[in-house]
Amino acid sequence: MSDLFQNHAATSGPVECLGQTFPSDEARREHYLRLLAEKLKDPEFRKIDGFPIGSDEDILALSDPPYYTACPNPFLAELVSREADSFPVDYEKEPFSADVSEGKNDPIYTAQSYHTKVPHKAIMRYLLQYTRPGDVVLDGFCGTGMTGVAANLCGDTSALASLGYKTDSHGNVLRQVKDEGVEGWERFSKIGPRFAVLNDLSPVASFIAYNYNTPWDITEFNSAAERMLLAVEKKYGWMYRTHHESNSSDLEESIQKLPRLADGSEQIAAKLHPINYTIWSDVFSCPECGGEVVFWDVALDRAAGKVKDNFSCPTCSSLLSKRALDRAWNSILDAGTGSIQKLSKQVPVEINYSVRSRRFVKKPDAYDLAAIAQISGLHPSKWFPKDRMPEGDESRRNDDIGITHVHHFYTHRNLIVLAELNGIAERSNNPLLRELVINMLTRANKQSSLHVSNYFNGGGGVCKGHLSGTLYVPSISPEIPATKIFRDRIDTFNRWLKVAIKDRSSAISTQSFTKLDLPDSCVDYIFIDPPFGKNLMYSELNFIDESWLRIKTNAALEAVENQSQSKGINEYRHLMAACFKEAHRVLKPGRWMTVEFSNTQANVWNAIQTALQEAGFVVANVSALDKKQGSFKAVNTTTAVKQDLVISTYKPNGGLEERFSRTGGSEDSVWDFVRTHLHYLPTVKIREGQLEFVNERDPRIIFDRTVAWFVRHNVPVPMSTQEFQAGLAQRFAQRDGMVFLPDQVAEYDKKRASVARAPQMELFVSDERSAIDWLSDFLKRRPSTYQVIHPEFISQLGAGWKKHEEKPELAELLEANFLRFEGKGDVPPQIHSYLSTNYKDLRGLDKTSQALIAKAMDRWYVPDPNKSQDLEKKRERALLKEFDVYRSFTGRRLKEFRLEVLRVGFRAAWAEKDYQTIISIAQKIPEDALQEDEKLLTLYDLAITRVNVG
């Protein structure tokens, strides 16, 4: 059947590629395949980080150079150099600060599933904000390539209209705005495709990304796919047929014809009807009588739509539960390994089939069982993967039920048909047909998901077998005919191809993000959705699909927490830091990177922030991205948020770096950084018509960003916190607890005047530092006595308190950080202002008034900056004294401690270049306490680096 197809580009006319003209696209591909084949012979080329596991022959068969290679793409630099422009002097962008909500029902999105996937429409909003037509966009963890699709569709007016944007005759993109209650349209971007560089460690991911980002002929695809389906149905369609209300003689006659149906000498009889799906059930053994227990028959509560907790043995009536059952087993001659394989026993229990347009359900009859027996004796006529599932946290989860190899994930008849379809697709030399087969693999295996709503009054939960992000195989699973899945996938691809990209505007590589073949400072914008901790084991989840492609992920540099790969949170953080450093290297100065974040664990969040800072990025904003649908783990984890977070971070412009290298750690460097940083922050954030507090403009967070910047440059900040806050107030405008540049405050004031309520900062108390911050905010608004403060303070010390952190006494915090009016001298202006504003009888009184003094007595208040500096120095001395106690501690672990003591002590040791003290004390505290504190983790990581370098 090798003549069944033409290559999708074989008949194209002359094409130009990298300055050369070729008679056809196929000629272009053949030319670059020869160059890639030569490159593959170079041993050094195969040493590139993340080079996939596969033969030269298979890599070449999958690749379409120079645009896509199933290995590191050696043509990336040349492709990008033709797209990249010089640094524009007029580039100036605030971070995209609005929350984004995009659903997953778009034909492009639904054409190909993947473990995590950001809708391309959401990415388009970021691209339009940060880039111009022709800009180079990078996605180093591209998955299915939605960033490339988004980059291309920035030039499509209908795609822009679907986002609610307009375009004008000058090529501008306009968005709707509301200013002082009046709606209008503002220009914010330009229409035109951007050039996308897409990279992924996974060969199957980069292959899907290639197909998504390549223009295809829908008519040619339909013709080829239909011929492919027709050929396979003619040969194997009989395997998915059943009888409808037949008598025993009809069944016997059909059973006798089965061998002739199998060898192709008999046609499918009209009285056999197509199966929609067959439900298979695990079989167990009763521990009391040894009788077989078919799980489907005894365990289903159809009224409730779930599995019963307890049920009776059909043989001895003993009360059973699933956990108490023993498995029943089958020993078979494995078609893949050629050895006897012990498999958990499954039997077909129900068949859903169609007679013309009506659907029916029945139990398998004698013909159905005979057909399954006949099929079990057949061997696939084409190659299929026989790989042992790799060692892994997820990939070996089914070993105890006998599913140990790739081909065990399929029923025998589906395996036969998949092998046939895959063989035809490989011979066709058509990448889209190969993806069509890869696309259907998960739907055809024993994890497949099916909503059987008619069984459970619309519930159908029992047969929803597939749990995204896992390789879980349920005890009850539906087998959907591979031919039916193929038909469904053709229809899905058709819906996609009708709105797919029309022109090529991307380059795709398969390797680790730790090192790309790109020049320095050549990328205009980066959007990434990286792996987050132990959420998903990508290489394990992709192993089945990649086995069919014959090229597998090289997981050595996979950025995950994985026990089987001996990777914990430290290894994950170091790998992410290496990726972020590469991102920082290739990104132009002053440009942005957006990181989509989908993990709620504090240690992973801190790992990401620490890795970003270590690489040289500065965080400017965090917003929400609602993808409208969570993964299984996101939906079912009690601590999981339902929205992903989007981190906007920038690479500081070259001028800041140059000035810092000249001035070093001077005070001028502090204010130079702050001025530059404020320039990158969103001026206004509005949600549902209300102003929001911009957390990054909080003076305390600005100080943290400043400290992180100085620490990365191995220089201590030349001032205390209070000195910094005082200098900040002198140099910059402040509104509603936020800091602004002069031109920014004018814009903020204009917006502030149009809303009724000032934005409020949300402060969560989780440790001593945040408790002090809460007290500071409380006392600024309301100087109060201990009796008033105490109940309010206690209400803040809830379940969010960090596990190993000592809970401080309120009296000690007040004494160390604030001042109390004891009735001597004038009433402090902080208290006077509060009392005269909130008590009518105290208005207009002099600060020496006895009535005012009496009311002010014993109130705690935030001191003015000069006195605050004295308090801070006193507090720091006390904290360092306690740090010396930790330093001299001879036990193995500090069970309880004060994070503030550790933070101050680590900073002091860092300033003195005493890196060993940081390392030794870090080893005395629990690992999770270190990993969950960004400040400690940053200094510890850098101390390790300095010691290793030394």
Side-chain angles (χ1 to χ4, degrees), residues 792-855:
E792 297 277 357
F793 178 74
I794 292 300
S795 70
Q796 298 296 317
L797 304 182
W801 192 261
K802 291 184 177 178
K803 180 180 177 183
H804 301 283
E805 171 83 327
E806 289 181 8
K807 284 190 177 180
E809 291 293 334
L810 174 59
E812 294 176 2
L813 288 182
L814 291 170
E815 191 68 38
N817 299 280
F818 305 96
L819 296 177
R820 179 170 62 93
F821 179 61
E822 298 176 342
K824 298 175 182 178
D826 294 350
V827 174
Q830 298 93 320
I831 300 178
H832 180 265
S833 174
Y834 170 74
L835 293 178
S836 61
T837 301
N838 291 276
Y839 294 88
K840 291 182 179 180
D841 57 328
L842 299 178
R843 290 175 185 171
L845 295 181
D846 187 80
K847 293 179 182 179
T848 60
S849 164
Q850 290 303 308
L852 189 66
I853 291 173
K855 195 70 173 177

Coordinates of all heavy atoms in Angstrom, one line a residue, residues 792-855:
E792 N -7.2 41.0 67.8 CA -7.0 41.2 66.4 C -5.8 40.4 65.9 O -5.9 39.7 64.9 CB -6.9 42.7 66.0 CG -8.1 43.5 66.3 CD -9.1 43.5 65.3 OE1 -8.9 42.8 64.3 OE2 -10.2 44.1 65.5
F793 N -4.7 40.5 66.7 CA -3.5 39.8 66.3 C -3.7 38.3 66.4 O -3.3 37.5 65.4 CB -2.4 40.2 67.2 CG -1.1 39.5 67.0 CD1 -0.3 39.9 65.9 CD2 -0.6 38.6 67.8 CE1 0.9 39.3 65.6 CE2 0.6 38.0 67.6 CZ 1.4 38.3 66.5
I794 N -4.3 37.8 67.4 CA -4.5 36.3 67.6 C -5.3 35.8 66.5 O -5.1 34.6 66.0 CB -5.2 36.0 69.0 CG1 -4.2 36.4 70.1 CG2 -5.6 34.6 69.0 CD1 -2.9 35.6 70.1
S795 N -6.3 36.5 66.0 CA -7.1 36.0 64.9 C -6.4 35.8 63.6 O -6.8 35.1 62.7 CB -8.3 37.0 64.6 OG -7.8 38.2 64.1
Q796 N -5.2 36.5 63.5 CA -4.4 36.3 62.3 C -3.5 35.1 62.3 O -3.0 34.6 61.3 CB -3.4 37.5 62.1 CG -4.2 38.8 61.9 CD -5.0 38.9 60.7 OE1 -4.5 38.4 59.6 NE2 -6.2 39.3 60.7
L797 N -3.2 34.5 63.5 CA -2.3 33.4 63.7 C -3.1 32.1 63.5 O -3.3 31.3 64.4 CB -1.7 33.4 65.1 CG -0.9 34.7 65.4 CD1 -0.3 34.5 66.8 CD2 0.1 35.0 64.4
G798 N -3.5 31.8 62.2 CA -4.3 30.7 62.0 C -3.5 29.5 61.4 O -2.4 29.3 61.7
A799 N -4.2 28.7 60.6 CA -3.7 27.5 60.0 C -2.5 27.7 59.1 O -1.7 26.8 58.8 CB -4.7 26.7 59.3
G800 N -2.4 29.0 58.6 CA -1.3 29.3 57.6 C 0.1 29.4 58.2 O 1.0 29.7 57.5
W801 N 0.2 29.3 59.6 CA 1.5 29.5 60.2 C 2.5 28.4 59.8 O 2.1 27.3 59.7 CB 1.3 29.5 61.7 CG 2.6 30.0 62.5 CD1 3.5 29.3 63.0 CD2 2.9 31.4 62.7 NE1 4.5 30.0 63.6 CE2 4.2 31.4 63.4 CE3 2.4 32.6 62.3 CZ2 4.8 32.5 63.7 CZ3 3.1 33.8 62.7 CH2 4.3 33.7 63.4
K802 N 3.7 28.9 59.5 CA 4.7 27.9 59.0 C 5.0 26.9 60.1 O 5.1 27.2 61.3 CB 6.0 28.6 58.6 CG 5.7 29.4 57.3 CD 7.0 30.1 56.8 CE 6.8 30.8 55.5 NZ 8.0 31.5 55.0
K803 N 5.2 25.6 59.7 CA 5.3 24.5 60.5 C 6.4 24.6 61.6 O 6.1 24.3 62.8 CB 5.5 23.2 59.7 CG 5.7 21.9 60.5 CD 5.9 20.8 59.5 CE 6.1 19.5 60.3 NZ 6.4 18.3 59.4
H804 N 7.6 25.0 61.2 CA 8.7 24.9 62.2 C 9.0 26.3 62.9 O 9.9 26.4 63.6 CB 10.0 24.5 61.5 CG 9.8 23.1 60.8 ND1 9.9 22.0 61.6 CD2 9.6 22.7 59.6 CE1 9.7 20.9 60.8 NE2 9.6 21.4 59.6
E805 N 8.2 27.3 62.5 CA 8.4 28.6 63.0 C 7.8 28.8 64.4 O 6.6 28.5 64.6 CB 7.8 29.7 62.0 CG 7.8 31.1 62.5 CD 9.1 31.8 62.3 OE1 10.1 31.2 62.4 OE2 9.1 33.0 62.1
E806 N 8.6 29.3 65.4 CA 8.1 29.6 66.7 C 7.1 30.7 66.6 O 7.3 31.7 65.9 CB 9.2 30.1 67.6 CG 10.2 29.0 68.0 CD 11.3 29.5 69.0 OE1 11.1 30.6 69.4 OE2 12.2 28.7 69.2
K807 N 6.0 30.6 67.3 CA 5.0 31.7 67.3 C 5.4 32.7 68.4 O 5.6 32.4 69.5 CB 3.6 31.1 67.7 CG 2.9 30.4 66.6 CD 1.5 30.0 66.9 CE 0.8 29.4 65.7 NZ -0.6 29.0 65.9
P808 N 5.6 33.9 67.9 CA 6.1 35.0 68.8 C 5.0 35.5 69.8 O 3.8 35.4 69.5 CB 6.6 36.1 67.9 CG 5.6 35.9 66.7 CD 5.3 34.5 66.6
E809 N 5.5 36.0 70.9 CA 4.6 36.7 71.8 C 4.3 38.1 71.3 O 5.3 38.8 70.9 CB 5.2 36.7 73.2 CG 5.3 35.4 73.9 CD 4.0 34.8 74.2 OE1 3.0 35.6 74.4 OE2 3.9 33.5 74.3
L810 N 3.1 38.5 71.4 CA 2.7 39.9 70.9 C 3.5 40.9 71.6 O 4.1 41.9 71.0 CB 1.2 40.1 71.0 CG 0.7 41.5 70.7 CD1 1.1 41.9 69.3 CD2 -0.8 41.6 71.0
A811 N 3.7 40.8 72.9 CA 4.4 41.8 73.7 C 5.8 42.0 73.3 O 6.4 43.1 73.2 CB 4.3 41.4 75.2
E812 N 6.5 40.9 72.9 CA 7.9 40.9 72.5 C 8.0 41.6 71.1 O 8.9 42.4 70.9 CB 8.4 39.5 72.4 CG 8.6 38.8 73.8 CD 9.1 37.4 73.7 OE1 9.3 36.9 72.5 OE2 9.2 36.7 74.7
L813 N 7.0 41.3 70.2 CA 7.1 41.9 68.9 C 6.8 43.4 69.0 O 7.5 44.2 68.3 CB 6.0 41.3 68.0 CG 6.2 39.9 67.5 CD1 5.0 39.5 66.6 CD2 7.5 39.8 66.7
L814 N 5.9 43.8 69.9 CA 5.7 45.2 70.0 C 6.9 46.0 70.6 O 7.3 47.0 70.2 CB 4.4 45.5 70.9 CG 3.1 45.0 70.3 CD1 2.0 45.1 71.4 CD2 2.7 45.9 69.2
E815 N 7.5 45.3 71.6 CA 8.6 45.9 72.3 C 9.8 46.1 71.4 O 10.5 47.1 71.4 CB 9.0 45.1 73.5 CG 10.0 45.7 74.5 CD 9.4 46.9 75.2 OE1 8.2 46.8 75.6 OE2 10.1 47.9 75.4
A816 N 10.0 45.1 70.5 CA 11.2 45.1 69.7 C 11.0 46.0 68.4 O 12.0 46.4 67.8 CB 11.5 43.7 69.2
N817 N 9.8 46.3 68.0 CA 9.6 46.9 66.7 C 8.8 48.2 66.7 O 8.8 48.9 65.7 CB 8.9 45.9 65.7 CG 9.7 44.6 65.5 OD1 10.6 44.6 64.7 ND2 9.3 43.6 66.3
F818 N 8.2 48.5 67.8 CA 7.3 49.7 67.8 C 7.5 50.5 69.1 O 8.3 50.1 70.0 CB 5.8 49.2 67.7 CG 5.6 48.4 66.5 CD1 5.6 47.0 66.6 CD2 5.4 49.0 65.2 CE1 5.4 46.2 65.4 CE2 5.2 48.2 64.1 CZ 5.2 46.8 64.2
L819 N 6.9 51.6 69.2 CA 7.0 52.5 70.4 C 5.6 52.6 71.0 O 4.6 52.6 70.4 CB 7.5 53.9 70.0 CG 8.9 53.9 69.4 CD1 9.3 55.3 69.0 CD2 9.9 53.4 70.4
R820 N 5.7 52.8 72.4 CA 4.4 53.0 73.2 C 4.5 54.3 73.9 O 5.5 54.7 74.5 CB 4.3 51.9 74.2 CG 3.1 51.9 75.1 CD 2.9 50.7 75.9 NE 4.1 50.4 76.8 CZ 4.1 50.9 78.1 NH1 3.1 51.5 78.6 NH2 5.2 50.6 78.8
F821 N 3.4 55.1 73.8 CA 3.3 56.4 74.4 C 3.0 56.2 75.9 O 2.0 55.6 76.3 CB 2.2 57.2 73.8 CG 2.1 58.6 74.4 CD1 3.2 59.5 74.4 CD2 0.9 59.0 75.0 CE1 3.0 60.7 75.0 CE2 0.7 60.2 75.6 CZ 1.8 61.1 75.6
E822 N 3.9 56.7 76.8 CA 3.8 56.5 78.2 C 3.3 57.7 78.9 O 3.4 57.8 80.2 CB 5.1 56.0 78.8 CG 5.6 54.7 78.2 CD 6.9 54.2 78.7 OE1 7.7 55.1 79.2 OE2 7.3 53.0 78.5
G823 N 2.8 58.7 78.2 CA 2.3 59.9 78.8 C 3.3 61.0 79.1 O 3.0 62.1 79.7
K824 N 4.6 60.8 78.7 CA 5.6 61.8 78.9 C 5.8 62.7 77.6 O 6.0 62.1 76.6 CB 6.9 61.2 79.3 CG 6.8 60.4 80.6 CD 8.1 59.7 80.9 CE 8.0 58.8 82.2 NZ 9.2 58.1 82.5
G825 N 5.7 64.0 77.8 CA 6.0 64.8 76.6 C 4.7 64.9 75.7 O 3.6 64.6 76.1
D826 N 5.0 65.5 74.5 CA 3.9 65.7 73.6 C 3.3 64.3 73.1 O 4.1 63.3 73.0 CB 4.3 66.5 72.4 CG 4.7 67.9 72.8 OD1 4.4 68.3 73.9 OD2 5.2 68.6 72.0
V827 N 2.1 64.3 72.7 CA 1.5 63.1 72.1 C 2.2 63.0 70.7 O 2.2 64.0 69.9 CB 0.0 63.3 71.9 CG1 -0.6 62.1 71.1 CG2 -0.7 63.3 73.3
P828 N 2.7 61.8 70.4 CA 3.3 61.6 69.0 C 2.4 62.0 67.9 O 1.2 61.7 68.0 CB 3.7 60.2 69.0 CG 3.8 59.8 70.5 CD 2.8 60.6 71.2
P829 N 2.9 62.6 66.8 CA 2.0 63.0 65.7 C 1.2 61.8 65.1 O 0.1 62.0 64.6 CB 3.0 63.6 64.7 CG 4.3 63.1 65.1 CD 4.3 62.9 66.6
Q830 N 1.8 60.6 65.1 CA 1.1 59.5 64.6 C -0.2 59.2 65.3 O -1.3 59.0 64.8 CB 1.9 58.2 64.6 CG 3.2 58.3 63.8 CD 4.4 58.8 64.6 OE1 4.2 59.7 65.4 NE2 5.6 58.2 64.3
I831 N -0.1 59.3 66.7 CA -1.3 59.1 67.5 C -2.3 60.3 67.5 O -3.5 60.1 67.4 CB -0.9 58.8 69.0 CG1 0.0 57.5 69.0 CG2 -2.1 58.6 69.9 CD1 0.5 57.2 70.4
H832 N -1.7 61.5 67.5 CA -2.5 62.7 67.5 C -3.3 62.7 66.2 O -4.5 63.1 66.3 CB -1.5 63.9 67.5 CG -2.3 65.2 67.5 ND1 -2.5 65.9 66.3 CD2 -2.9 66.0 68.4 CE1 -3.1 67.0 66.5 NE2 -3.4 67.1 67.9
S833 N -2.8 62.4 65.1 CA -3.5 62.4 63.8 C -4.7 61.4 63.9 O -5.8 61.8 63.4 CB -2.6 62.1 62.7 OG -3.3 62.0 61.4
Y834 N -4.4 60.3 64.4 CA -5.5 59.2 64.5 C -6.6 59.7 65.4 O -7.8 59.6 65.0 CB -4.9 57.9 64.9 CG -6.0 56.9 65.3 CD1 -6.7 56.2 64.3 CD2 -6.3 56.6 66.6 CE1 -7.7 55.3 64.6 CE2 -7.2 55.7 66.9 CZ -7.9 55.0 65.9 OH -8.9 54.1 66.2
L835 N -6.3 60.2 66.6 CA -7.3 60.5 67.6 C -8.1 61.7 67.1 O -9.3 61.8 67.2 CB -6.6 60.8 68.9 CG -6.0 59.6 69.6 CD1 -5.3 60.1 70.9 CD2 -7.0 58.5 69.9
S836 N -7.4 62.7 66.6 CA -8.2 64.0 66.2 C -9.1 63.7 64.9 O -10.0 64.4 64.7 CB -7.2 65.1 65.8 OG -6.3 64.7 64.8
T837 N -8.7 62.7 64.2 CA -9.6 62.3 63.0 C -10.8 61.5 63.4 O -11.9 61.6 62.9 CB -8.7 61.5 62.0 OG1 -7.6 62.3 61.6 CG2 -9.6 61.2 60.8
N838 N -10.6 60.6 64.4 CA -11.7 59.6 64.7 C -12.5 60.0 66.0 O -13.5 59.3 66.3 CB -11.0 58.3 64.9 CG -10.5 57.7 63.6 OD1 -11.2 57.1 62.8 ND2 -9.2 57.9 63.3
Y839 N -12.1 61.0 66.8 CA -12.8 61.3 68.0 C -13.2 62.8 67.9 O -12.3 63.7 67.9 CB -12.0 61.0 69.2 CG -11.8 59.6 69.4 CD1 -10.7 58.9 68.9 CD2 -12.7 58.8 70.2 CE1 -10.4 57.6 69.0 CE2 -12.4 57.4 70.4 CZ -11.3 56.8 69.8 OH -11.1 55.5 70.0
K840 N -14.4 63.1 67.8 CA -14.9 64.5 67.6 C -14.4 65.4 68.8 O -14.0 66.6 68.6 CB -16.4 64.6 67.5 CG -16.9 64.0 66.2 CD -18.4 64.2 66.1 CE -19.0 63.6 64.8 NZ -20.5 63.7 64.7
D841 N -14.5 64.9 70.0 CA -14.2 65.7 71.2 C -12.7 66.0 71.3 O -12.2 66.8 72.2 CB -14.7 65.1 72.5 CG -14.1 63.7 72.7 OD1 -13.9 63.0 71.6 OD2 -13.9 63.2 73.8
L842 N -11.8 65.3 70.5 CA -10.4 65.5 70.6 C -9.9 66.4 69.4 O -8.7 66.6 69.3 CB -9.7 64.2 70.6 CG -10.0 63.3 71.8 CD1 -9.2 61.9 71.6 CD2 -9.7 63.9 73.1
R843 N -10.8 66.8 68.5 CA -10.3 67.6 67.4 C -9.9 69.0 67.8 O -10.5 69.6 68.7 CB -11.4 67.7 66.3 CG -11.7 66.4 65.7 CD -12.9 66.4 64.7 NE -13.1 65.1 64.2 CZ -14.2 64.8 63.4 NH1 -15.1 65.8 63.2 NH2 -14.4 63.6 63.0
G844 N -8.8 69.5 67.2 CA -8.3 70.8 67.5 C -7.5 71.0 68.8 O -7.1 72.1 69.1
L845 N -7.3 69.9 69.5 CA -6.6 70.0 70.8 C -5.1 70.1 70.5 O -4.6 69.4 69.6 CB -6.9 68.8 71.7 CG -8.4 68.7 72.2 CD1 -8.5 67.5 73.1 CD2 -8.8 70.0 72.9
D846 N -4.4 70.8 71.4 CA -3.0 70.8 71.4 C -2.4 69.5 71.8 O -3.0 68.7 72.6 CB -2.5 71.9 72.3 CG -1.0 72.2 72.1 OD1 -0.6 72.9 71.2 OD2 -0.2 71.6 73.0
K847 N -1.2 69.2 71.3 CA -0.5 67.9 71.6 C -0.2 67.8 73.1 O 0.1 66.7 73.6 CB 0.8 67.7 70.8 CG 0.6 67.6 69.3 CD 1.9 67.5 68.6 CE 1.6 67.4 67.1 NZ 2.9 67.3 66.4
T848 N -0.3 68.9 73.9 CA 0.0 68.8 75.3 C -1.3 68.7 76.1 O -1.3 68.7 77.4 CB 0.7 70.1 75.8 OG1 -0.1 71.2 75.5 CG2 2.1 70.2 75.0
S849 N -2.5 68.7 75.4 CA -3.7 68.6 76.1 C -3.8 67.3 77.0 O -3.5 66.2 76.5 CB -4.9 68.6 75.1 OG -6.1 68.2 75.7
Q850 N -4.3 67.5 78.2 CA -4.4 66.4 79.1 C -5.4 65.4 78.7 O -5.2 64.1 78.8 CB -4.7 66.9 80.6 CG -3.6 67.6 81.2 CD -2.3 66.8 81.3 OE1 -2.4 65.6 81.8 NE2 -1.2 67.3 80.9
A851 N -6.5 65.9 78.1 CA -7.5 64.9 77.5 C -6.9 64.1 76.4 O -7.2 62.9 76.3 CB -8.7 65.7 77.0
L852 N -6.2 64.7 75.6 CA -5.5 64.0 74.5 C -4.5 63.0 75.0 O -4.4 61.9 74.5 CB -4.9 65.0 73.5 CG -4.3 64.4 72.2 CD1 -5.5 63.9 71.3 CD2 -3.6 65.5 71.4
I853 N -3.7 63.5 76.0 CA -2.7 62.6 76.6 C -3.3 61.4 77.2 O -2.9 60.2 77.1 CB -1.8 63.4 77.6 CG1 -1.0 64.4 76.8 CG2 -1.0 62.4 78.4 CD1 -0.2 65.3 77.8
A854 N -4.4 61.6 77.9 CA -5.1 60.5 78.6 C -5.6 59.4 77.6 O -5.5 58.2 77.8 CB -6.3 61.0 79.4
K855 N -6.1 59.9 76.4 CA -6.7 59.0 75.4 C -5.5 58.3 74.7 O -5.7 57.2 74.2 CB -7.5 59.8 74.4 CG -8.4 58.9 73.5 CD -9.5 58.3 74.3 CE -10.5 57.6 73.3 NZ -11.5 56.9 74.1

